[in-house]
Amino acid sequence: MATLSSWLLDVKPSRAGELQINEELGPRGRRRALIGTAVVTAILAAGLAWVLRRFQVKGQFAPELWRPFRQWSIWKFLLLGLGQTMKAAGVAFVFALGLGIVLAMWRGSSPKRKRIPATIFTEVFRACALVLLIKFAFFQLPKTPGFRGWTLSKYAFVSLVLGLTLYYSTVFAEVIRSGIRSLPKGQSEAALAIGLTEPRAMRLIILPQALRRALPNLFTQAASLLKDTSLGVFVTYSELLSRAKIVGEYGSNFLQSFVVAGFMYIFVVAILTSTANRLQKRQAR
């Protein structure tokens, strides 16, 4: 595999036989990369042209199908759904990040009483399907009418946030643990040398640096978390996707409604992704 990659990119393998990804491409590698990019772009453009042609043949560009989106009430309805999406994503991100930090610290700790439970928790919930976690949380909550003043929408919100928290806390834990392991051992040794205990050294010196290094990847995973809030449709949470479905039923234009919702998702995810890229470039300086 390294031989094929080195031929395509014109990069020499290292002595251990591993391809150095951060090596600068040679003249042939740049030429081959350019050709590959042109081929992939041509294929994607052809696919997009075929899809647009099928849309035209099926009459999906008919003005009456897009007319509902001239109404502010429709946009307001969808924007409220986007707000619900971002609300669930924001709350889940905060809880998942907090739990992920604890899991990463415990998995990196010496006592087995912390390391083993954290490892089991991470491996179990990382292997679970996210939609099953959300639906399981929804069915386990008591559905008695008026239970502590909760409405059905609040049950759905808590179920979605709980499922996202359990799953993405394991993802964040691995990202943060990678940041911890990327730090030189001299950091922890110096902290212990000045009299700090291992937990205090982790909390005061190691963890802040690891979080700074892991920040770009955390933003990237936050974009994935935002997209996964669409699974709230399975527990009747009124987020963007479920509201797009309602708009499609109202105007008999499901495809157009989902296209508009898709572009709204892309806009928000693009902001998170560009932020992650800027942070990564800043750290590379």
Side-chain angles (χ1 to χ4, degrees):
M1 187 64 184
T3 303
L4 177 60
S5 301
S6 60
W7 181 84
L8 288 173
L9 301 179
D10 192 27
V11 177
K12 296 181 179 180
S14 64
R15 293 180 181 178
E18 296 294 333
L19 182 65
Q20 299 297 313
I21 301 299
N22 57 349
E23 293 284 348
E24 186 178 355
L25 296 179
R28 286 184 299 173
R30 288 195 294 269
R31 185 168 58 251
R32 290 164 185 163
L34 182 62
I35 293 173
T37 302
V39 170
V40 172
T41 302
I43 293 174
L44 292 176
L48 180 60
W50 181 82
V51 170
L52 293 176
R53 175 62 180 170
R54 295 298 300 172
F55 276 17
Q56 185 177 8
V57 170
K58 296 293 184 179
Q60 296 299 329
F61 290 118
E64 59 270 14
L65 295 177
W66 297 92
R67 190 170 293 120
F69 298 103
R70 298 178 183 176
Q71 304 175 24
W72 166 242
S73 58
I74 296 294
W75 282 104
K76 182 180 179 180
F77 185 73
L78 291 175
L79 287 172
L80 287 174
L82 180 61
Q84 291 287 85
T85 293
M86 297 183 68
K87 174 184 174 183
V91 174
F93 178 83
V94 171
F95 282 113
L97 181 60
L99 184 55
I101 291 173
V102 173
L103 290 173
M105 292 175 62
W106 282 13
R107 291 197 70 181
S109 66
S110 299
K112 291 184 178 180
R113 70 178 186 275
K114 292 183 178 180
R115 188 172 69 252
I116 293 177
T119 302
I120 294 174
F121 182 95
T122 301
E123 296 301 327
V124 168
F125 285 104
R126 188 171 57 177
C128 290
L130 179 54
V131 65
L132 294 181
L133 290 176
I134 296 171
K135 295 192 73 172
F136 179 79
F138 184 73
F139 290 133
Q140 292 305 308
L141 291 173
K143 298 300 187 300
T144 306
F147 176 75
R148 296 182 181 178
W150 283 20
T151 60
L152 184 61
S153 61
K154 188 170 291 187
Y155 284 116
F157 174 77
V158 172
S159 302
L160 178 59
V161 168
L162 183 58
L164 291 170
T165 299
L166 291 174
Y167 180 80
Y168 274 95
S169 63
T170 64
V171 177
F172 292 165
E174 292 304 298
V175 171
I176 296 169
R177 197 159 73 99
S178 298
I180 293 174
R181 297 174 69 177
S182 69
L183 295 174
K185 292 184 179 180
Q187 296 286 334
S188 57
E189 292 174 355
L192 296 176
I194 62 175
L196 293 178
T197 61
E198 186 175 340
R200 285 179 62 84
M202 174 65 72
R203 187 173 64 254
L204 298 178
I205 296 178
I206 305 300
L207 188 59
Q209 297 182 69
L211 285 174
R212 195 177 300 112
R213 290 196 175 192
L215 203 57
N217 288 332
L218 289 175
F219 267 94
T220 301
Q221 294 300 327
S224 298
L225 188 153
L226 178 72
K227 291 183 288 185
D228 284 336
T229 56
S230 60
L231 296 175
V233 70
F234 292 103
V235 291
T236 67
Y237 181 64
S238 183
E239 42 75 52
L240 178 57
L241 185 63
S242 62
R243 290 189 174 225
K245 182 180 178 182
I246 294 173
V247 172
E249 292 174 348
Y250 167 77
S252 299
N253 56 349
F254 284 99
L255 180 61
Q256 289 73 18
S257 299
F258 288 135
V259 166
V260 171
F263 276 107
M264 295 174 74
Y265 275 117
I266 290 172
F267 176 75
V268 179
V269 170
I271 294 175
L272 293 173
T273 304
S274 63
T275 302
N277 292 335
R278 284 199 300 269
L279 289 172
Q280 195 165 16
K281 290 178 181 179
R282 182 178 299 178
Q283 289 186 0
R285 292 176 183 174

